[in-house]
């Protein structure tokens, strides 16, 4: 009798153990490396989230004249990227004011996108193969090229004029730092949190030149006529709107929007408004 009872308890324990293992296996299979199917849907169905929320949340720069600069008098952020972002809000929600603009820097923009703080990045972001591993990009919406900002009386007229011992300033997390190290490996590169800090440092004499895309440098030179932008560019910098990986439906709408504004002339108006000339065809 004791022997039968012992066998019965062993059978019950084995059944419970096998059930627990099976349940664990099911959960692992469902979730996998990329999360559960519901998590994946939530991560990639940004377009539906925007419509339910009734607001598009975009990461933009606050410190770049002409593209994204907070006006100290009005408190509003203004620029080329801002107008593109507002137009996208109108495309999705029918009203350009149904938008929230969150400040990003070159260093913070991808983390903020991937942790869900923002729906998209419209912040002078160059499309690169390395960044494509982390985010998906729209079609190119602006073509820039990296150059140098120097004092008006500076002897620097080309990247070739940068000598050993000179210091070039730029922002952390930007492609500009990588590019200048390749183009002028003999110079010291000093990186700041953003371009506003870098420009302040240049004016304080902490460097011989500031480097980033010419489109951004034009804005700095406009703020202070004691500085000029070199005509020469030493890279091509195609800007794209970044979304989370796999966000195909949202990306399709963005590309449709960019195509529409280029065809109906709205893009040319935005370009001329901020850059001061018509875009090159």
């Amino acid at each position: 009798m004791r022997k039968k009872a012992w066998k019965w308890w062993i059978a019950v324990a084995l059944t419970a153990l096998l059930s627990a293992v099976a349940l664990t296996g099911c959960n692992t299979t469902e979730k996998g490396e990329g999360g559960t199917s519901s998590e994946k849907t939530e991560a990639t169905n940004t377009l539906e989230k925007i419509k339910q929320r009734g607001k598009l949340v975009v990461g933009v720069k606050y410190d770049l004249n002409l593209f994204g600069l907070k006006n100290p008098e009005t408190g509003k952020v203004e620029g080329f990227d801002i107008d593109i972002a507002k137009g996208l809000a109108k495309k999705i929600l029918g009203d350009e004011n149904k938008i929230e603009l969150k400040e990003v820097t070159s260093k913070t923009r991808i983390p903020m996108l991937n942790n869900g703080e923002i729906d998209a990045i419209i912040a002078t972001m160059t499309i690169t193969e390395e960044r494509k591993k982390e985010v998906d990009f729209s079609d190119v919406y602006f073509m820039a090229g990296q150059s140098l900002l120097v004092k008006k009386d500076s002897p620097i007229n080309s990247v070739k004029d940068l000598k050993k011992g000179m210091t070039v300033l730029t922002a952390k997390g930007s492609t500009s730092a990588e590019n200048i190290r390749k183009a002028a490996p003999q110079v010291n590169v000093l990186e700041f949190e953003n371009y506003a800090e870098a420009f302040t440092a240049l004016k304080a004499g902490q460097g011989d030149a500031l480097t980033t895309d010419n489109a951004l440098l034009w804005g700095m030179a406009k703020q202070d006529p004691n500085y000029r932008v070199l005509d020469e560019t030493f890279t091509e910098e195609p800007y794209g709107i970044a979304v989370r990986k796999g966000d195909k439906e949202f990306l399709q709408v963005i590309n449709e929007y960019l195509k529409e504004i280029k065809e109906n002339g709205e893009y040319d108006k935005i370009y001329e408004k901020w850059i001061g000339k018509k875009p090159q065809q």
Side-chain angles (χ1 to χ4, degrees), residues 105-162:
T105 65
S106 297
K107 190 170 72 170
T108 64
R109 57 192 171 189
I110 290 179
M112 285 177 69
L113 176 68
N114 286 333
N115 70 20
E117 286 183 65
I118 53 178
D119 300 318
I121 301 168
I122 308 181
T124 62
M125 190 171 181
T126 302
I127 300 168
T128 67
E129 291 305 313
E130 195 62 30
R131 286 172 178 167
K132 283 180 183 178
K133 295 173 185 176
E134 297 184 85
V135 299
D136 285 341
F137 281 103
S138 70
D139 296 335
V140 176
Y141 75 91
F142 192 95
M143 181 60 78
Q146 190 168 335
S147 188
L148 298 170
L149 178 75
V150 297
K151 279 187 176 180
K152 274 210 167 169
D153 60 355
S154 171
I156 299 169
N157 293 300
S158 165
V159 72
K160 293 174 185 175
D161 294 332
L162 294 172

Side-chain angles (χ1 to χ4, degrees), residues 42-258:
E42 186 179 349
T44 55
N45 197 8
T46 303
L47 195 60
E48 193 56 39
K49 271 186 174 183
I50 293 166
K51 289 176 181 177
Q52 288 177 3
R53 189 198 299 135
K55 178 173 66 175
L56 172 67
V57 183
V58 181
V60 299
K61 295 281 184 71
Y62 274 33
D63 64 332
L64 292 179
N65 192 22
L66 304 184
F67 279 82
L69 183 69
K70 191 169 185 178
N71 187 322
E73 293 179 7
T74 63
K76 292 181 179 179
V77 191
E78 302 164 341
F80 186 98
D81 284 348
I82 310 307
D83 285 359
I84 293 291
K86 286 180 177 179
L88 181 59
K90 188 175 181 180
K91 162 79 173 173
I92 298 169
L93 299 166
D95 185 348
E96 68 171 29
N97 296 310
K98 290 184 176 180
I99 192 168
E100 181 181 348
L101 302 171
K102 284 196 174 183
E103 183 179 12
V104 298
T105 65
S106 297
K107 190 170 72 170
T108 64
R109 57 192 171 189
I110 290 179
M112 285 177 69
L113 176 68
N114 286 333
N115 70 20
E117 286 183 65
I118 53 178
D119 300 318
I121 301 168
I122 308 181
T124 62
M125 190 171 181
T126 302
I127 300 168
T128 67
E129 291 305 313
E130 195 62 30
R131 286 172 178 167
K132 283 180 183 178
K133 295 173 185 176
E134 297 184 85
V135 299
D136 285 341
F137 281 103
S138 70
D139 296 335
V140 176
Y141 75 91
F142 192 95
M143 181 60 78
Q146 190 168 335
S147 188
L148 298 170
L149 178 75
V150 297
K151 279 187 176 180
K152 274 210 167 169
D153 60 355
S154 171
I156 299 169
N157 293 300
S158 165
V159 72
K160 293 174 185 175
D161 294 332
L162 294 172
K163 309 295 183 188
K164 187 176 181 181
M166 286 185 173
T167 300
V168 179
L169 315 177
T170 192
K172 292 178 183 177
S174 67
T175 54
S176 303
E178 300 166 30
N179 294 336
I180 194 63
R181 285 188 174 104
K182 290 175 187 173
Q186 72 278 12
V187 303
N188 303 313
V189 178
L190 195 56
E191 298 178 62
F192 293 83
E193 288 301 321
N194 54 55
Y195 289 112
E197 287 185 16
F199 191 27
T200 299
L202 180 69
K203 289 187 279 189
Q206 292 183 42
D208 301 281
L210 189 156
T211 189
T212 184
D213 307 342
N214 55 0
L216 312 186
L217 297 177
W218 293 333
M220 297 177 200
K222 192 174 181 180
Q223 284 179 295
D224 191 331
N226 293 310
Y227 292 83
R228 61 185 172 89
V229 182
L230 304 192
D231 292 332
E232 175 195 73
T233 59
F234 53 94
T235 66
E236 284 190 347
E237 305 295 328
Y239 295 166
I241 297 172
V243 300
R244 283 182 284 279
K245 292 292 286 182
D247 225 338
K248 293 179 181 177
E249 190 182 1
F250 186 30
L251 196 61
Q252 184 180 344
V253 170
I254 292 172
N255 284 332
E256 284 173 4
Y257 160 66
L258 293 176

